[in-house]
Amino acid sequence: MASRKSGVPELHFPKYKVQDTEEQGSMDAATQPSTNWHLKENTRDHHTSKFSSKELIVRRGQAFVVTFNGIEQPEQNLTFIAETGPKPSKQAKTQATFGISSTVSKENWSAVLQSTSSNSASIAISSPANAVIGRYKLSVQSTSSGSSSPATLGTFVLLFNPWSSGDDVFMSNKAECEEYVLEEFGIIFSGNTHHINSFGWNFGQFQGDILNICLSMLDRSLNYRQDPATDVSHRNDPKYLGRVLSAMVNGNDDQGVVLGNWSGNYEGGKSPSSWTGSGEILQNWKKSGFKPVRYGQCWVFAAVLTTDVWGFPLEQLQISALPMMQMETCVWMSFMMLLEIIWREELTVSGIYQCGPASRNAIKEGDVDLDYDCPFVFAEVNADCMYWNYDPATGKKTLIFSKSTTIGQFISTKAVGRDDRVDVTSDYKYEEGSRKERDIFKKARKKLGLEDKFDPTAPTPKEIEQKPDISGKFKVAGPLEVGKDLNLILVLANLQPDVKSVHVNMTAWSTVYTRRPVREIWKDSISVTLSPEEEKHFPIKISYAEYQQQLTTDNTIQITALCHVEGGIQVLVQRDITLDNPAIDIQVLGEAKVNKEVDVEVVFTNPINAEVMDCVLQVEGNDLLRGILEIDVPPLKAGEKSSTKFKLTPVETGSKHLLVNFSCDKFSDIKAFKTVKHKKLAGFFLFMINVNWTSLKNKVEDLTPTHISWQPSVNAGAHHTDRYANTELTVRRGQAFTITLYFNRPKQPGESLAFVTEIGPSPSESHRTKAVFNLSEVGASGWSAVQGSSESGYTTFTISSPANAIIGRYNLILQVTSGNKIFSRFLGQFVMLFNPWCPGDDVYMANENERQEYVLNENGIIFVGNAKYIEARGWYYGQFQDQLLNICLTMLDLSLYYRQDPAIDVSRRGDPKYVGRVISSMINGNDNDNGVLLGKWQGSFHSHENPSRWDGSVVILQKWRQDNYKPVQYGQCWVFAGVMCTVLRCLGIPTRLVSNFNSAHDVDRNLSIDKYYDSSGKSLNISKDSTWDYHVWNESWFIRPDLGTQYNGWQVLDATPQEQSKGLFQCGPASVTAIKEGDVDLDYDTLFVYTEVNADCNRWIVYNDGTKKRVYCDTEIIGRFISTKAVGSNSRVDVTYNYKYPEGSSEERRVYKKALAKIFGSNITEGHTEPPRERSSEAVRKPGISGKFKLAEPPVFGKDVTLILILNNLSSDHKTVKVDMSASTVLYTRRAVAEILKATASVDLGSKQGKHIRLKIPYSYYGKYLTTDKRIQVTALCEVMHMHGVKLLVEKTIILEDTNIIIKIPRRVVVSKAATLEISYANPLPEPVNRCVLLVTVMNQQVKIHLARLAPRERSRIYFEFTPRRTGPLQLQVDFSCDKFSHIKGFVTISVAPM
């Protein structure tokens, strides 16, 4: 036992052995100490006790206490680690390491020991006042025990602290802190300058999981997606955070919360005026998978932003201006700053819809050059207003008049501690028309560079001389209430001493609050003669019947009178009118006490001369009701009064607000609120709501599902989806699945049920992204539902989808019809995949063994090497692992196809060829489309991953997600293919990997691959064409109705970014049958793949003078040994015959000519014109000799390579041959890396004589130039003297064999029992190697083992223990690297037996 030191405890955490993947976390875990977060005391001290969370929530710059046990020696030193974000670092201030100290540090994190006992310690932990806010992980480590890893104590959330004097958001007035941070109720002021209304809003920042939703909001911002680590590091700055949130509350350029809609048509969403609080909006945003909620307008955006969980002191403002009102949010950060949540075409700051924080003082002082968006906000409260007359016939505009005092009036907010309105206009601007105000206006124009430009508000000399001859105004002559006639008086006055003739054109339009006209209500015209200085009144009546159908939910009407004065200038008279909704009276019938029921009565009188129907009353109130209470009100006849009573039970003392919203078929969203003051009553807080109708006492509550069982085990087993790690139901199309619904009561006669499925951002039946289907009926969409067994309280339903259904994540909705009322209930989400088991699905595969291999097998084999040395490499697809399905679905939503037209893209996801093509573009990241991988084939991989490092897809896809969908660096062809196979199998499309040896890349599409050498035989990188030793792509199985049944079956898809297809790096699907038959004109990219397996290979010599001479043509070398993994085994299957007829056969010749004809025209195979392949063969003069390279012994990495060049004279003539030999290290793409040897020889060959030339390439020549491909290309350019430059090119690519990694497994491996493997590895080099690392990967878990140095040629071994968690085949991979070489690989497939 370690010696004791005074004062500080030591932790002791026992460790466990490495385990296999099916268990949570990593293979090596530590036992964690138990932690007491002292929630009650800490949240009370930090003003966070109202949050509905079991997680500790504290504020920065203030200490909190935590107690933990698991301590053997309480006096030893402790180190704490607090970290937040995806990549915590001390430099970014997202990680803090701190020990025990005697005092609190104001600048840094600190821990002060409060008390200790025999097995526990209480620590007061303090954060600096400028700490990053968010969710932290807190860990502790003993500094004296030598523990290798810290123990996690848990997580906590850190917020801004307006009560801390060192915090940027510090607010000294405690009453203001209570109002702007802790108050959950707000008042929104609306209307216009003539009539300011108010209505209540429930911010609800402490309710449910609003805090977690708000934290998710930050992690979904564009800032986070672009650079997660930097974004999190800036979250200590309230102005940064406020700006991010201003972008995220609107959903117009990201995954923001609310979509704006001012059209008056709110189909597919809710009218903005129907919202009564932020909680429902934020919860709906989360339930929809963080898709923007439909719809909001300015007060909704501002109110959601004000739902402040962060600790910003926030207030809402109404600016009465143009538009009639604009809602904004003020945040206190040492001084008042303005944030605005907007969606306007004119304001996309840095390409994002965001605004602020703009200093309120800067706005008032005209400092419009300051950050952020000060000019925009300054204009909102200070702009001058011009009124023009526009003649549509001529396009001419005439300025009628301008006003500098219209904009920015009665800027209002709620009073502190009261529901009164406070005017804060003077905080934004000096008094209108004052000299100071005009000076500020000029100052702002100067800062904006407008002082020398035309000022449209400045009167011209003519305008100064010409004054209007008359004046006019509208006066209200009756009540301004919905349901009543609108009575106005137009007052016209002659300002001149002579008679004036005036023609007046009058119109009235319904408008939205932005003053955008929607529908014309009324128009009239009059002609008036005004005597000198006479005033006349003209009554105007617009009946309720005239405006009833035209009125928007804003209840606003704009009436104008354009007065044409004979011989004078025109005069515009205008008034904006807001009609009041009928009054709602709310009475609390008794004294409200905690834990005591109290009756509430809501009284409403129908104000119109007609019956109103479909009446619904919504009631909401924090600490009064849980959620939203919705009550159906019977129809009301003209003038009839409705009285609705219900009971509530307060659960907390203090003033609370009850919000009421009434709607019917004639008008909507009549709002009212009532302050309910609670008195304290001792006892346990009990929650209860009873609804009692006055007018319908025996009302039966709506039929509502209270719970859903997705029956996951039954459905997943039947749908072959039981191995997916995601928790939501995952099913396959064209096959039924079963759910069970639990209802609040039995279904009654007259009630019927239907289901709705929706997918995508804009579900519609026309796009097949929405289906509505009744029970026992097959809808037009092909969806159907059948009711099964029904017991007391629950009913089983079987839902079937069509075999061509769109794949992806669906919303499932229950639609209940009861009489004339239809309402919907969101049930949850499920995921739909392709179904190879369904005969009606395009991806149907009849053979069960093939389905098991190409859909369900997570282990794969990739064949690499070259045509003469084919190697097998293991790959783990892992398509069922945690988060993989969500990542694959997200991949579709990040594609350029989705970004261009989301609705159309989603509607096409039922087509496997479309999905495959989209995925082929998304696996690579070369189109700036957030693709998964960047390709790199040359240069250094410094600071990123060498493609040879990867052993499977899961770690790549998870890293892509963790890095906020930035391309992972780097991949090459087999990596792209491996990842694509994972994604397509995950989505349900049968897919396999195919390796093509001697694979051509024919850039100019002439079926010829041209390779160039200098006169010494050195390979030159001057051709765009290339031949790769191997290239790996994918084949997916589905039918091709677009081409014809003969092209069904395997289709080539290639994600490697070689060339663009229709503007994107994508390839396929190309039918394998079409490739074999030479149908190169068929979709998609068939010609490209055809050339990869059929092009000719031509070799050219480039002389010093630049001339070129072809010395070799091979018509059979391209497309050899096309290989894939066998079904059910690791064997190699040659599928070359699927792609081409035997080389040189009559069928192959026919197809080749057919392809040429389709490329170059039909005359290529007729008349005197011969195909290029035949011409090129005849063009090469025969040198009369043959040659080949032969290895003297197997080439082993680390040893000298010895070859023999064998030359034979094919004629009876004597020949002298000059031989220039060259050797270079190359990539598998045959691109030269470095020349390592040059040699020249001269050989005399007698008649029919053969001779050998020995060539040795020492390890010292190639060692430091070899890439991880371990390839050397050797060429011999043989010139027969006295034959006018006739040459023979001999070429060989050598793959150096790795020293084998040997893996020995037990004779029998049993599930859930530990098994020990022996892994043998070696240093093949003639020199020692250091920094040896062995990576052992089982499925998605990896163990990194640091090894001792190895002496020259030394072999060593380790023993590795693991415990498999499931039966069946299991692939184990080993990767060995050191300072001299990297990524020597081995793998073994282990058959795990049941117990």
Side-chain angles (χ1 to χ4, degrees), residues 287-289 705 707-708 710 728-729 737 739 741 755-758 809-814 825-831:
K287 288 179 182 177
S288 70
H707 175 65
I708 181 172
W710 294 100
E728 62 192 329
L729 177 65
F737 62 93
I739 63 171
L741 294 182
F755 288 94
V756 181
T757 56
E758 296 180 339
R809 180 171 282 107
Y810 279 83
N811 291 331
L812 181 62
I813 298 159
L814 179 68
R825 294 291 184 264
F826 175 77
L827 298 178
Q829 293 183 320
F830 65 93
V831 175

Side-chain angles (χ1 to χ4, degrees), residues 147-158:
S147 175
S148 61
S149 60
T152 299
L153 296 179
T155 63
F156 64 93
V157 176
L158 192 66

